[in-house]
């Protein structure tokens, strides 16, 4: 009877207590047991939710199963709406680009796109008008962000959907200059991705969002996401969309504006964390199974293969996905809009994926920090007899920048500084934020501290020729030696501040004196009148320049047409200032001037020419 009772008990237990799935018995690539995963994530995010992050949706996949799907914080702080990974909609930002590259590979599979062909064969005649080089641009160049386009901020995004243009018109309006030879420099490009999407439209006869909805979203069963919100409106998406926030200070969040872009394929998907997880699942089909997204077994492998690399020890690019130098090779992509951040990370070898969506602008501690904890880091193998790190010291500027127009000066003020701290160690500083890198092989440096901001560029390769660094390569963007030294930039800034202070103070003082003399009915000499008007026009020019720069720094989602009036005003005020300067000079000898007056007039003239010269150098007239 005892034996019979024991057998029955075991049978009942096996029915009441389900066996753990293979995924639940496994670990993350970094070694965290799946059964401990939720506790680990809870403890990790607890430090940031409500302090530096408004809300987050986190989904983790292991062995073709979702092993964690959880929301943290608020989708709407004011109404205390919690984040729900299955329903809360976030802006995915540049993670949207992965759907462009997936669509490209679908057309490659069908024989409609040749990755090595000149893209001009797929475009209308004379579509691209600003190409500088005869070397053809291929689809691979677009995927690898090596087409050579400069970055362009104007007309990238708008705060209202009414201003959004059709994709073709948006591409024509925002066409950038080609500033690099195709294939030589990685300069991350929204334009390149949207251009690839436009090629898909040309080949399929469908608008890109329609193609994605039919050939990707429908195949994956995605219901709560949309590829282009302004046109393909879904009431459920609008109702469930999280508010986006900007962090003012710890625990102090400000609601941000919406973000709409004409070049929407580069960053306009709105959706849930669980929908994005369905995409990850499709990229990791079960063993001996084919991805639902492709017809052939080898297409997914081709898409995940390296398409651009500068060094075997530095992660490159896999057909639009960024390679990640983790414990196991990862393919990933981050995303940012004006008020949302995201990270999508797949580790094919481990059948593991992480999706992180936050409604926080510029967030990195969860988007990148948590992902790093889950996927792990490769153990660095440090070689012997490495070059001294002093060889790579210098100041560098991102290849992804505007080369023309007044905003180009911004990139110089936020350049990268590399300093040697040890024969095999450097400190890299950007925008006042430092990080430490250690040399592992000749001119290859790996991130060796916990600064989450630098995780996307956790490996650097310095191209050195004749003892000089000619280029720094990372998987997401290259850096080039600055053509303006920091001492020169500081000199420019000091001169600008001196001119600014002088014209503002002198304009106030001269205005008071002018009104006082007028009230006392004292005669005012002709040179004094022209000198007074010179100072007023120069001060007005400065005010216009400061307002112009401030408008772009406060909100960069502006059309170029919004800036035209102020640029024209710069020309007008400059002409006025030069005219008054000439009149001051011509009337200099018509009246006897005291020595202090002569000195004051001379200082005004010198500051006028310095100011105009600086505005020409900084391209505040274009």
């Amino acid at each position: 009877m005892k034996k019979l009772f024991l057998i029955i008990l075991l049978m009942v237990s096996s029915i009441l207590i389900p066996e753990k799935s293979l995924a639940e018995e496994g670990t993350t690539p970094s070694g965290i047991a799946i059964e401990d995963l939720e506790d680990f994530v809870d403890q990790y995010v607890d430090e940031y939710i409500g302090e530096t992050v408004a809300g987050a949706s986190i989904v983790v996949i292991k062995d073709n199963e979702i092993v964690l799907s959880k929301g943290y914080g608020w989708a709407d702080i004011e109404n205390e709406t919690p984040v729900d990974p299955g329903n809360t909609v976030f802006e995915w930002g540049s993670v949207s680009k992965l759907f462009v590259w997936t669509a490209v590979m679908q057309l490659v599979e069908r024989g409609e796109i040749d990755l090595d062909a000149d893209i001009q064969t797929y475009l209308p005649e004379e579509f691209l008008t600003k190409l500088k080089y005869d070397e053809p641009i291929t689809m691979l160049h677009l995927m690898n962000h090596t087409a050579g386009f400069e970055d362009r901020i104007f007309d990238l995004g708008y705060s209202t959907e009414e201003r959004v243009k059709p994709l073709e018109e948006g591409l024509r309006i925002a066409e950038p200059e080609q500033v690099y030879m195709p294939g030589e420099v990685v300069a991350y490009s929204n334009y390149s991705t949207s251009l690839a999407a436009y090629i898909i439209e040309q080949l399929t006869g469908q608008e890109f969002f329609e193609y994605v909805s039919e050939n990707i979203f429908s195949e994956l069963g995605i219901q709560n996401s949309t590829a282009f919100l302004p046109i393909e409106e879904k009431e459920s998406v609008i109702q469930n969309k999280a508010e986006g926030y900007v962090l003012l200070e710890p625990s102090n969040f400000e609601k941000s504006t919406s973000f709409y872009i004409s070049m929407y394929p580069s960053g306009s998907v709105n959706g849930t964390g669980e929908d994005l997880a369905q995409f990850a699942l499709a990229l990791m089909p079960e063993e001996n199974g084919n991805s639902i997204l492709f017809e052939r077994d080898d297409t997914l492998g081709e898409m995940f293969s390296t398409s651009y690399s500068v060094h075997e020890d530095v992660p490159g690019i896999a057909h639009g996905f960024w390679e990640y130098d983790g414990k196991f090779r990862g393919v990933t992509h981050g995303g940012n809009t004006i008020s949302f951040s995201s990270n999508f990370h797949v580790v094919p070898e481990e059948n593991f994926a992480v999706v992180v969506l936050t409604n926080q602008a510029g967030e990195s501690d969860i988007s990148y920090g948590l992902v790093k904890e889950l996927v792990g880091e490769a153990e660095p193998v440090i070689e012997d007899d490495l070059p001294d790190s002093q060889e790579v010291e210098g100041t560098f500027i991102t290849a992804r920048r505007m080369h023309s127009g007044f905003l180009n000066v911004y990139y110089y003020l936020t350049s990268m500084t590399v300093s040697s701290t040890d024969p095999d160690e450097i400190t890299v500083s950007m925008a006042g934020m430092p990080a430490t890198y250690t040399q592992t092989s000749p001119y290859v440096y790996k991130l060796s501290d916990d600064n989450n901001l630098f995780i996307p560029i956790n490996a650097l390769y310095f191209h050195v020729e004749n003892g000089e660094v000619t280029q720094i390569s990372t998987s997401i963007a290259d850096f080039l030696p600055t053509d303006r030294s920091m001492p020169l930039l500081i000199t420019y800034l000091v001169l600008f501040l001196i001119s600014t202070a002088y014209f503002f103070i002198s304009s106030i003082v001269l205005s008071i004196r002018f009104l006082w003399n007028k009230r006392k009915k004292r005669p005012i000499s002709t040179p004094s009148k022209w000198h007074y008007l010179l100072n007023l026009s120069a001060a007005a020019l400065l005010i216009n320049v400061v307002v112009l720069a401030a408008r772009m720094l406060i909100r960069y989602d502006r059309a170029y047409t919004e800036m035209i009036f102020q640029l024209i005003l710069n020309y007008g005020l400059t002409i006025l200032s030069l005219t008054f300067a000439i009149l001051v000079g011509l009337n200099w000898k018509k009246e006897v001037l005291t020595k202090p007056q002569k000195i004051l007039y001379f200082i005004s003239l010198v500051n006028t020419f310095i100011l105009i010269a600086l505005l020409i150098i900084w391209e505040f007239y274009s």
Side-chain angles (χ1 to χ4, degrees), residues 278-297:
Q278 294 305 311
F279 180 57
L281 283 165
L283 298 179
M284 299 183 298
E286 295 186 27
E287 189 174 356
N288 299 323
N290 188 28
S291 172
I292 193 173
L293 295 172
F294 303 110
E295 297 173 3
R296 295 203 316 261
D297 294 343

Side-chain angles (χ1 to χ4, degrees), residues 324-454:
Y324 183 77
D325 187 28
K327 194 168 185 179
F328 300 90
R329 176 181 180 267
V331 286
T332 179
H333 209 291
N336 279 282
T337 66
I338 201 169
S339 48
F340 289 80
S341 302
S342 60
N343 195 9
F344 176 86
H345 195 113
V346 176
V347 186
E349 184 180 345
E350 288 289 290
N351 208 339
F352 182 85
V354 187
V355 169
V356 178
L357 303 176
T358 79
N359 55 342
Q360 179 68 56
E363 199 282 325
S364 63
D365 291 315
I366 296 178
S367 298
Y368 290 102
L370 174 62
V371 172
K372 185 184 75 170
E373 293 295 326
L374 299 182
V375 302
E377 297 180 272
E379 287 292 331
V381 178
I382 301 176
E383 298 181 12
D384 297 325
D385 300 323
L386 297 173
D388 195 295
S389 63
Q390 290 183 353
E391 286 189 44
V392 300
E393 287 187 318
T395 303
F396 305 88
I397 190 169
T398 178
R400 182 196 178 184
R401 66 184 180 92
M402 291 186 68
H403 283 245
S404 56
F406 69 91
L407 287 175
N408 82 89
V409 70
Y410 168 78
Y411 299 92
Y412 288 97
L413 298 176
T414 57
S415 56
M416 171 195 282
T417 302
V418 177
S419 305
S420 171
T421 54
D422 190 79
D424 295 326
E425 187 178 89
I426 57 174
T427 295
V428 175
S429 298
M430 287 194 297
M433 297 295 294
T436 302
Y437 286 76
T438 300
Q439 187 174 198
T440 57
S441 58
Y443 304 114
V444 173
Y445 287 80
K446 301 291 181 69
L447 182 65
S448 54
D449 67 15
D450 294 324
N451 192 324
N452 293 328
L453 285 171
F454 287 80

